[in-house]
Amino acid sequence: MTQQTHFKIPMPPDVRDWLDKAAPRVQRSRGAHVIFLLRQEMEKEKTEEALLGGLPSSVSE
């Protein structure tokens, strides 16, 4: 099993309220939904890097 790291982050009330509503709609806990959203961003970043990887640095900046 993969070792997990736990940490606390300050969360504005409006974000917490949104998360409390969004997570159950997709049948996830708050923590699982945060991880899902972060992984989506990670994948988006990988895709963008792959697309820009073949371009000269002046074009990607």
Side-chain angles (χ1 to χ4, degrees):
M1 184 173 163
T2 304
Q3 185 178 6
Q4 296 184 356
T5 302
H6 296 263
F7 67 97
K8 293 182 182 183
I9 58 171
M11 189 176 300
D14 61 328
V15 175
R16 172 88 184 244
D17 292 343
W18 175 83
L19 190 56
D20 284 344
K21 292 174 186 167
R25 283 196 304 260
V26 290
Q27 299 178 349
R28 293 188 188 102
S29 67
R30 279 188 307 229
H33 196 50
V34 168
I35 292 168
F36 172 81
L37 294 171
L38 288 171
R39 286 196 172 156
Q40 277 189 323
E41 288 301 310
M42 288 169 60
E43 287 302 315
K44 190 187 319 180
E45 189 175 288
K46 283 184 200 175
T47 301
E48 290 170 356
E49 287 174 359
L51 291 172
L52 296 175
L55 299 176
S57 61
S58 61
V59 174
S60 63
E61 293 178 0

